[in-house]
Amino acid sequence: MIKSFRVALVLIVAVLAGSCSPSGETTAVCSRAPELESSIVAVDSAVLAMTEVSARQLQSMFAVLLSSLVSIGEVAPPEVVDQFAQVERAYLAVSVALQNVLWEGSVGVSDAAVLASIDDLTRNDNVEALSAVRTFITDSCRVDLGSG
């Protein structure tokens, strides 16, 4: 009787300990969270000051951000994979529009496609997806992506 009680107690502790630890998927996302954070900040700042950023810098910033989003999307837990994909699509649309003007910010500030893709970043579905990504990372990784 005591032996079976001990076995049951060990099983309960093991289950509880396992449920408190982050999944491998969450750990993988968390390991990439700092790069994602800095990439989002860099791209958002560059978009606001496109005429002051060189074409090469703009292209590089988007490449790093999109690469981070793709790699995180490949390992993200199922409950947030769609939100990571939505954020990736939103920034990819801006990237494609900027590619079409050869990454020239001075052209992008007056190009209808670039402006529309930047405006789409503030669409409700994109804002909600980014918010869900930030909340997941803040809660699961203890990393604050900020609000900007």
Side-chain angles (χ1 to χ4, degrees):
M1 176 78 172
I2 291 177
K3 191 173 189 174
S4 59
F5 175 74
R6 285 185 184 162
V7 169
L9 185 59
V10 167
L11 288 174
I12 290 171
V13 169
V15 168
L16 289 175
S19 67
C20 293
S21 64
S23 71
E25 295 157 331
T26 299
T27 301
V29 170
C30 293
S31 71
R32 294 167 172 89
E35 181 178 310
L36 178 63
E37 173 188 11
S38 62
S39 296
I40 289 173
V41 170
V43 164
D44 287 350
S45 296
V47 165
L48 291 174
M50 264 193 291
T51 59
E52 300 168 21
V53 180
S54 75
R56 183 174 291 199
Q57 287 174 312
L58 201 54
Q59 183 179 15
S60 177
M61 285 182 227
F62 270 91
V64 172
L65 173 59
L66 292 171
S67 175
S68 291
L69 286 166
V70 167
S71 68
I72 288 174
E74 291 172 351
V75 298
E79 65 269 18
V80 291
V81 74
D82 290 342
Q83 289 81 3
F84 277 102
Q86 178 73 32
V87 173
E88 178 193 344
R89 282 190 301 272
Y91 280 102
L92 181 60
V94 179
S95 176
V96 168
L98 284 166
Q99 285 174 341
N100 290 334
V101 296
L102 306 176
W103 298 99
E104 291 296 334
S106 59
V107 176
V109 295
S110 60
D111 183 78
V114 171
L115 295 174
S117 66
I118 291 169
D119 193 44
D120 280 349
L121 291 175
T122 62
R123 261 189 5 222
N124 285 344
D125 58 335
N126 292 327
V127 170
E128 289 168 7
L130 184 56
S131 178
V133 164
R134 285 184 164 138
T135 298
F136 175 80
I137 291 174
T138 299
D139 294 349
S140 301
C141 307
R142 306 295 189 250
V143 172
D144 186 8
L145 290 182
S147 59

